[in-house]
């Protein structure tokens, strides 16, 4: 009888400990010391069109915007102008691999391993002015390889597993889509000729040209 009582007591204690741990995991916020610098690998650096701003994206699940224009007589600050932290659905996901600053310097687009059960992999678009998330572009079945603003209209190019979508400003559906051979490894733009060059890991180079019909 005594052994049975001891066993039940230990079982109750174990259940109580496990329940408390689960409750802590779900309900208690996790506090993290925010440092000026990234705490993970930096995967991409993007410059604004006038080279006055620099965006860095990292495995630490943040994107950071830096000013490259020091005030007269003042050294460049070691602190970012803005820190963007997109929503992540799990501890394993959320690493940022790519980012871009809009031509008008009003927004930044970041992505990589961003994932939500409702939308799949997605791109997050933030306001540079106050850091709020303005829009998400989802529906992708694979992580995002590259995002790049292009052209004066701030069209956004999104590449995922060789699939290329072009989104117009403030529109939630692509205005142009195509499938390439291989994953997109690099994107270069020529604003003068309205041309975008896409290179893939399969050894191909593709061009997208902005014409009068969009």
């Amino acid at each position: 009888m005594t052994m049975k009582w001891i066993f039940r007591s230990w079982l109750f204690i174990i259940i109580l400990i496990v329940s408390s741990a689960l409750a802590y995991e779900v309900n208690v916020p996790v506090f993290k010391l925010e440092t000026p610098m990234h705490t993970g690998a930096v995967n991409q650096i993007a410059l604004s069109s006038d080279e006055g701003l620099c965006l860095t994206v990292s495995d630490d699940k943040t994107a950071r915007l830096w000013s490259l224009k020091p005030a007269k007589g003042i050294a460049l600050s070691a602190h970012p102008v803005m820190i963007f932290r997109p929503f992540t659905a799990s501890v394993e996901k959320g690493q940022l691999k790519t980012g871009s600053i809009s031509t008008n310097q009003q927004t930044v687009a970041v992505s990589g391993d961003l994932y939500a059960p409702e939308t799949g992999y997605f791109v997050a678009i933030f306001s540079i002015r106050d850091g709020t998330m303005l829009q998400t572009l989802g529906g992708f079945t694979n992580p995002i390889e590259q995002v790049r603003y292009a052209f004066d209209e701030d069209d956004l190019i999104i590449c995922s597993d060789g699939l290329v979508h072009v989104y117009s400003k403030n529109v939630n559906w692509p205005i142009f889509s195509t499938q390439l051979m291989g994953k997109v490894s690099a994107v270069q733009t020529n604003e003068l000729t309205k041309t975008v060059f896409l290179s893939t890991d399969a050894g191909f180079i593709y061009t997208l040209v902005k014409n009068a019909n969009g």
Side-chain angles (χ1 to χ4, degrees):
M1 183 68 178
T2 303
M3 291 299 296
K4 189 175 182 180
W5 182 85
I6 294 175
F7 174 76
R8 288 182 177 177
S9 298
W10 276 108
L11 183 61
F12 174 77
I13 292 172
I14 292 172
I15 293 175
L16 183 62
I17 292 173
V18 172
S19 299
S20 300
L22 291 175
Y24 180 84
E25 182 74 22
V26 173
N27 299 320
V28 177
V30 176
F31 294 94
K32 182 178 179 181
L33 180 64
E34 190 71 86
T35 61
M37 307 304 293
H38 286 290
T39 57
V42 175
N43 295 309
Q44 195 176 81
I45 297 174
L47 296 176
S48 61
S49 55
D50 65 353
E51 299 185 354
L53 294 172
C54 173
L55 180 71
T56 55
V57 296
S58 170
D59 280 348
D60 67 7
K61 304 179 183 180
T62 71
R64 296 169 190 245
L65 191 68
W66 311 83
S67 175
L68 302 181
K69 291 182 177 180
K72 185 176 181 180
I74 300 177
L76 283 171
S77 172
H79 297 269
V81 176
M82 188 72 66
I83 298 176
F84 308 101
R85 191 182 297 276
F87 164 79
T88 178
S90 70
V91 175
E92 293 77 17
K93 295 185 182 296
Q95 293 83 7
L96 299 180
K97 305 296 184 181
T98 180
S100 185
I101 303 172
S102 65
T103 307
N104 60 15
Q105 299 185 28
Q106 297 298 308
T107 60
V108 300
V110 297
S111 194
D113 203 25
L114 294 180
Y115 180 84
E118 302 83 8
T119 61
Y121 291 96
F122 66 93
V123 174
I125 299 176
F126 289 88
S127 166
I128 289 180
R129 182 173 59 181
D130 56 17
T132 58
M133 189 165 71
L134 303 175
Q135 187 181 12
T136 60
L137 300 172
F140 295 90
T141 57
N142 294 290
I144 309 299
E145 301 148 9
Q146 299 283 337
V147 295
R148 179 67 63 91
Y149 282 106
F151 316 124
D152 294 338
E153 295 83 3
D154 281 332
D155 291 339
L156 183 62
I157 300 170
I158 301 176
C159 309
S160 174
D161 199 26
L163 177 66
V164 178
H165 283 331
V166 180
Y167 289 83
S168 186
K169 189 175 181 180
N170 298 324
V171 177
N172 290 319
W173 55 88
I175 59 173
F176 173 82
S177 298
T178 188
Q179 181 70 51
L180 308 183
M181 292 290 293
K183 296 181 179 180
V184 177
S185 54
V187 181
Q188 294 293 330
T189 62
N190 186 323
E191 295 299 327
L192 184 63
T193 61
K194 306 296 184 185
T195 305
V196 176
F197 302 92
L198 307 166
S199 60
T200 71
D201 59 7
F204 293 91
I205 298 178
Y206 297 86
T207 59
L208 294 178
V209 180
K210 181 80 172 181
N211 56 39
N213 297 322

